[in-house]
Amino acid sequence: MPFRVAVVGTGFIGPVHVEGLRRAGQEVVGILGSSAEKSKQAADRLRIPTAYADFDALLADGDVDSVHITSPNRYHFDQAAAALKAGKHVMCEKPLAMTSEESGKLVEIAAESGKAAGVNYNIRYYPMCLDAAGRVASGELGGVFHVAGSYVQDWMFHPTDFNWRVLASEGGELRAVADIGTHWLDLIYSITRLDVAAVCADLHTVYPTRQRPTGNVETFSSGAGGDIPTEPIAIDTEDYGCVMLRFANGARGVLWVSQVTAGRKNCLRFEIAGEKESLAWVSESPNDLWVGHRDRPNEAVIRDPGSLAESAQGFSDYPAGHNEGFPDTFKMCFRAFYNSIESGGQPNYPTFAEGHREIVLCEAILESHQEQRWIELNTK
Ligand SMILES: NC(=O)C1=CN([C@@H]2O[C@H](COP(=O)(O)OP(=O)(O)OC[C@H]3O[C@@H](n4cnc5c(N)ncnc54)[C@H](OP(=O)(O)O)[C@@H]3O)[C@@H](O)[C@H]2O)C=CC1
Ligand SMILES: O=C1CO[C@H](CO)[C@@H](O)[C@@H]1O
């Protein structure tokens, strides 16, 4: 029997969850938007049986086993806590909450509930990222020397580009680092299993003032431009960040994030230098993994379900040459989540504890920037 799932949020990523859930074999039974009218429109558009009038109606629906939260960040804590307390499994979008106080409480609430609680760090589920993790776990790479990479976009490039994320009150005190940087940090953790022991950060707001349209702007829709009426608004979150990292094993790292780099639509890159070889991957060509050698020719590995690392088996459905991409990662993350619930085994998905760790890291990054010094994290 499929799990019966309700999705919260009808913007950019809510429908991606609906599609991913269906492709993962689960049943989407209901949807909630920011109003009864928005719920109804989304239910009609996406062919979902129930449109909820409000969150209480969703919680009261005994047909719902599981809730996927894709509302803006500031709602995550209340909605995830209430859903767990109502006996539902929860898959919440990243970042898990606005502060580590909230995310820490969510970890406790999840444990008390006995329900499954995951955070949608979907990028882990690109098959070549899972394959990279398998290579590191098998010892093929040897110990990690250092890690470098970036997550770069251009959808905030113009001062007329606006979204709720640019306001700390809506998305949290950190923007580029929390919104996309935590994907990179989570991915590197999932591949190397190395904890970050200290951070040193430099953040920058390129546009301290933006033009806010007087109506709502959905993620990745075009910005204000044209004739849409706007008002100037002070921006209290960063467009850019550079973070130096020290890992618990002594390895070093550097992460660069930007939401104002023209032409980079949604580009995550990493390069991991190990004792025996290096690995590199770019989300713009996600079916390829580069393996670098000093004493023999480098390798360009093309995704092929038959030759993926053992731990990546089952997370790639299409033969080599039939590319898998962004929507597939949602399907695979949800497959991992629901398979783990069904099997009753250890979580094989990004947990609330891992989502909490990202928020702790974000706070250390902000503190480092504000105090212009290295900040150590408790890695015990
Ligand atoms: N893992 C990934 O790859 C991605 C993750 N995300 C994460 O997903 C979340 C949503 O982002 P995104 O889809 O881009 O944002 P959007 O603004 O495009 O969508 C948010 C949706 O939530 C609705 N909403 C607002 N308040 C509520 C509420 N109280 N209850 C239910 N729905 C509500 C909004 O309605 P209305 O428009 O009417 O206000 C809108 O439909 C964020 O946390 C973001 O970080 C986003 C993109 C990619
Ligand atoms: O998680 C995310 C990944 O990239 C998006 C675009 O796809 C975001 O900006 C976002 O919140």
Side-chain angles (χ1 to χ4, degrees):
M1 285 284 286
F3 287 86
R4 296 162 304 176
V5 185
V7 173
V8 178
T10 60
F12 167 48
I13 221 66
V16 182
H17 279 245
V18 171
E19 180 189 307
L21 280 159
R22 286 172 169 161
R23 292 179 68 208
Q26 310 306 335
E27 186 184 352
V28 182
V29 295
I31 191 154
L32 174 70
S34 58
S35 64
E37 180 58 24
K38 290 269 180 86
S39 302
K40 175 82 173 60
Q41 286 168 3
D44 289 348
R45 194 170 59 246
L46 298 165
R47 305 275 190 272
I48 296 171
T50 305
Y52 299 107
D54 54 36
F55 197 69
D56 287 340
L58 182 158
L59 293 181
D61 186 345
D63 281 344
V64 171
D65 304 314
S66 173
V67 181
H68 281 226
I69 298 172
T70 78
S71 49
N73 305 350
R74 77 187 151 106
Y75 300 106
H76 291 182
F77 174 74
D78 285 346
Q79 291 179 336
L84 287 165
K85 286 178 184 170
K88 321 283 190 195
H89 303 295
V90 171
M91 169 57 71
C92 185
E93 265 304 346
K94 41 54 59 183
L96 177 56
M98 298 280 274
T99 64
S100 63
E101 193 186 343
E102 283 184 357
S103 56
K105 276 190 200 150
L106 284 176
V107 174
E108 287 168 19
I109 294 167
E112 283 159 15
S113 74
K115 294 289 158 183
V119 184
N120 188 38
Y121 278 116
N122 59 298
I123 296 178
R124 287 186 187 194
Y125 291 91
Y126 280 101
M128 298 319 286
C129 292
L130 293 167
D131 188 62
R135 287 170 189 264
V136 174
S138 72
E140 178 186 308
L141 196 88
V144 173
F145 290 154
H146 44 256
V147 184
S150 56
Y151 197 157
V152 184
Q153 305 177 324
D154 75 357
W155 69 297
M156 289 287 125
F157 179 67
H158 296 296
T160 47
D161 289 327
F162 190 86
N163 181 268
W164 53 262
R165 287 166 175 82
V166 303
L167 302 178
S169 57
E170 305 262 329
E173 278 190 284
L174 281 177
R175 190 224 312 163
V177 171
D179 190 41
I180 52 179
T182 64
H183 270 299
W184 188 93
L185 291 162
D186 177 79
L187 177 63
I188 296 307
Y189 173 76
S190 76
I191 293 172
T192 65
R193 295 285 152 188
L194 292 176
D195 284 314
V196 175
V199 294
C200 184
D202 180 40
L203 311 177
H204 184 55
T205 304
V206 173
Y207 296 120
T209 303
R210 284 181 181 267
Q211 292 300 316
R212 172 164 67 177
T214 42
N216 261 349
V217 182
E218 194 176 287
T219 308
F220 273 79
S221 61
S222 54
D227 295 333
I228 301 171
T230 63
E231 59 193 2
I233 183 160
I235 299 303
D236 50 3
T237 58
E238 82 288 358
D239 294 308
Y240 159 93
C242 180
V243 188
M244 287 193 291
L245 305 159
R246 284 187 196 142
F247 293 93
N249 74 336
R252 300 299 204 258
V254 61
L255 162 65
W256 162 50
V257 292
S258 163
Q259 294 185 313
V260 293
T261 298
R264 290 292 175 208
K265 303 302 167 194
N266 190 47
C267 181
L268 185 153
R269 291 177 271 209
F270 71 73
E271 188 155 313
I272 303 174
E275 284 173 319
K276 300 180 187 167
E277 64 185 26
S278 308
L279 299 175
W281 182 83
V282 182
S283 64
E284 289 178 342
S285 47
N287 291 265
D288 305 336
L289 180 72
W290 180 87
V291 186
H293 302 286
R294 163 69 190 263
D295 300 316
R296 61 186 172 93
N298 298 331
E299 298 164 77
V301 182
I302 296 174
R303 181 192 57 78
D304 184 339
S307 60
L308 289 174
E310 202 180 323
S311 52
Q313 298 281 331
F315 291 105
S316 179
D317 284 347
Y318 292 88
H322 302 74
N323 288 333
E324 292 181 0
F326 181 76
D328 299 87
T329 62
F330 286 69
K331 174 179 75 170
M332 293 306 177
C333 185
F334 304 159
R335 178 179 293 177
F337 184 65
Y338 290 103
N339 281 354
S340 279
I341 301 175
E342 246 167 9
S343 70
Q346 284 301 308
N348 184 23
Y349 54 84
T351 61
F352 271 24
E354 290 170 337
H356 171 58
R357 189 195 48 220
E358 294 304 324
I359 309 238
V360 169
L361 259 176
C362 282
E363 290 177 354
I365 287 167
L366 184 58
E367 187 181 349
S368 164
H369 167 71
Q370 287 168 340
E371 299 187 6
Q372 305 239 314
R373 65 181 179 91
W374 282 90
I375 298 292
E376 297 197 351
L377 288 119
N378 183 358
T379 49
K380 297 204 175 63

